[in-house]
Every structure is written in structure tokens, then in C-alpha cells.
Amino acid sequence: MNLEDMLRNEARASAPNPLTSRTGELIAGVRRRRRARAAGATMASVATVAAIGVIVWQVSDLDSGPLPPAQPVEVCTLTIDDLLPDGVSSAVASSAIAPDGQGPAAVVTTTVANPDDGDFEVPVSSISSYAVDPVTGSVRGYHLDGRSAEMITVPAGNAVDWSATFEFSACEGQSLADGDYALHQVGSVVDSGRWATDAAAFSITDGVVGPTEPVGALEPAPVFEPVCGDAWAPPTMNTGLELTVAWPDGPFVSDPSAGGNSISLEPTARNVSAESVAHGVYTWTVLVSDGVVVSPEYLGSDDTRDLALGPDETQVVNAGHSLGDFCAPGWSPSLPLEPLEPGRYEAYVMLMDLDLYWSEGTRNVLAIAPAGVIEITD
């Protein structure tokens, strides 16, 4: 009997609604609708329903010589909380940072996803980047884009990546001191308000930008079981694993009666720690609308496997979603799924700990891929 069959039998026997959480609560975590991960030398992928556009802008005179001493600016007296917008636009933004081989220079990639019905524009001049003390939140360095007239157009239901290569101006000294930092970015959408990314961890060692490994000893996967109608609020994790996924083009038609997965995926798990990691794993895909869980794929995937990775090693797994309405009132495993309502959804693939499920009966999440924006039509 595979995991799916076993879980279905358990659900039928234990409760009329198998999606009711066994934990009684969700663990609060990162802000809804945005999740950034340290990306090392590769950019975290963000799913779209069409081809992702890439706009690359190089800061002028990057290689013309050493930077002059940083001039104090107001942001150096602030914490990141002082700079985050109170009201955010509907844009879903995340960022990643990687070295570019030029000492303290870094390639910073900003991904802006548009869940709205119409296209929107992001002024490049509105995007500011901050190197922040991860403990105190104090700003230690900055890059303020104020000279470009360029606009980044993000089509409806799509995501666009914008990359810039620069050195942070340091609040103290000529360049950022060695140590660990958090990258935060703030920008705006024309006529739609400001957005901000969550933190992307990075470090500087011997003057060179690099990824930050998980701090301290790796921890067990936290309990996380998304429940219909609850806010999407994943826990923070220090499992040493990162998950990325390339989403197929849409739009999609919700027709669960046809059988099989309407979306079939091959996420990539990567060990971003300095330790070897090993788990039995399965995947679980969840659909979210306006920050609310609307269709967690029933009890996960029956693609169970052993995952054993050394530092920076990767492994491909399988995932998917049948695009059926698992949150329909009165639904149970014995009833056929109803189609989902047409519209745009955020989709999250989670890598779950199978070992803890077998031993504890709990659902524990090892990694969550960045959101994919999918469109479902009639």
C-alpha cells in the first residue's frame, strides 16, 4: 500500500473532514505571499504562467576603481522596520543575491510577480536594496536606485526578474565588513503602492559576497499542516534544504473528473548547508488565494523516496496538483472532486518529512518552493 492509500484509509476512519489539522494551530512564520531564500550562486526560481522576462541593468562605472568612502545617509540611522511600507501593493516580490566574481560586487535579482488582472509597471528608480544586521535589523549598507528612467513591465499573471550588479555603499568604512547580512528590497508599483521583500541571507568573507549557510545546528522540520480557510503562514525552517520548481505555462482548466494530475512538476531539492542531510520525503502542493488556503492537495503525494544529499548536492522529486476543490463544503475522500473556481492562484510545493510522519503521525515541512502564479479558466 502506498502512502496515498494509507493516508486515505486513515482519514476515512478518523474524521469526516481529513483536512482538519491534528495540531490545532498553524505556526506563524514569514509574511504571506512572499518568501525569499538564500540562493548561493544561483537565483531562486519563481513560477509563472508564461515565459519569465529578464531585465539586466549594470550599474555604470562598476569597474572604474575602488569606491570612495561612503557618505552617511539617513538610512544608516534606521532599522529595516523603519523602511518597510505600511500598506503594500498586490505585487509578490522576492530577492536573491549571489557573488559576481568581482570582490564585494554582487548580483542582486528581484522577482516581481503580478497576480492582478492587468499589467503593471515597476520603476527601477523605486528599487532600493539594504544590507541589514540580521540580529538587530540595523541598516549597515545600501544601494539606492535613483538615476534610471527604466520601467519594468510585469504582465498580468506573470513574473519578471530584474538583475542589478553593484557594491553596497557601507554605512561605516569603504565597504561592508566581513560578516552575515540580510538583504531587503523595497520598491513600488505605479499607481498601486509599495512592496517589500522578505530577507535573503548572505555573507561577506574576505571582502567577497557569498551565501549564508543555516545558522547553528540543523533543526528538525517544524509541524505545518495547511487547513482550508486559514491564512497562509508557513513556519521558519533551518533544515538545510531549499526547494525550487519550474511551473508549466497556463492557463489551466480544472477538470478533476478526468483523473490524474492536471499539473505535473519536478521540483529540485538542494542542500544549502555545510552538513549532509538525509530524510524520507514526500511532496505536497497547496493553492492559496488572497493569502488564504483554498485547496491543499489531499494528504500529499504518493511519490515517497529517500533523500540523501551532501553540501550543495541536488535531487529531483515529483509533485503536482489535480486542480480539484479540496475545500468544497462537505467534501470527503469518497466524493468526486469539484472543479476550482476560475481565477488566479498562488501555488506552493512543500517538501515533507516522511520519517516524522511514520514515527509521530505529524506533517512536518522541510522546505517550501517560491510561489507559482497559475491561472484557471472555464
Side-chain angles (χ1 to χ4, degrees), residues 2 98 203 238 254 359:
N2 62 28
S203 65
N238 185 34
S254 179
S359 63

Side-chain angles (χ1 to χ4, degrees), residues 129-133 138-142 168 176 181-184 202:
S129 304
Y130 302 101
V132 175
D133 185 313
S138 299
V139 175
R140 295 292 179 238
Y142 56 89
F168 286 98
L176 288 177
Y181 296 90
L183 166 69
H184 289 263
F202 72 100

Side-chain angles (χ1 to χ4, degrees), residues 341-363:
E341 291 292 327
R344 288 191 175 90
Y345 298 82
E346 291 175 23
Y348 296 88
V349 177
M350 305 188 296
L351 187 68
M352 309 296 291
D353 192 318
L354 180 63
D355 298 331
L356 286 174
Y357 179 81
W358 289 127
S359 63
E360 306 295 333
T362 56
R363 295 189 172 274

Side-chain angles (χ1 to χ4, degrees), residues 114-129:
N114 178 4
D116 292 344
D117 294 332
D119 300 352
F120 63 54
E121 291 187 323
V122 175
V124 166
S125 60
S126 75
I127 302 176
S128 298
S129 304

Side-chain angles (χ1 to χ4, degrees), residues 270-311:
R270 176 172 172 257
N271 180 1
V272 295
S273 77
E275 304 177 27
S276 294
V277 294
H279 302 273
V281 297
Y282 63 102
T283 57
W284 193 2
T285 305
V286 177
L287 299 186
V288 174
S289 178
D290 294 328
V292 176
V293 175
V294 294
S295 189
E297 181 77 7
Y298 175 58
L299 293 178
S301 166
D302 60 2
D303 174 46
T304 62
R305 62 181 66 204
D306 291 328
L307 186 80
L309 300 174

Side-chain angles (χ1 to χ4, degrees), residues 1-62:
M1 179 180 295
N2 62 28
L3 175 65
E4 186 78 0
D5 293 334
M6 188 278 292
L7 294 175
R8 282 198 179 99
N9 292 338
E10 177 193 85
R12 293 191 186 101
S14 61
N17 180 0
L19 294 173
T20 300
S21 173
R22 288 188 291 272
T23 66
E25 63 178 357
L26 294 176
I27 301 174
V30 297
R31 297 185 189 93
R32 67 178 178 85
R33 309 182 69 194
R34 299 194 302 268
R35 188 173 188 85
R37 288 190 178 277
T42 59
M43 174 186 65
S45 69
V46 171
T48 69
V49 299
I52 292 178
V54 179
I55 303 171
V56 179
W57 173 67
Q58 298 284 347
V59 177
S60 61
D61 300 325
L62 178 64

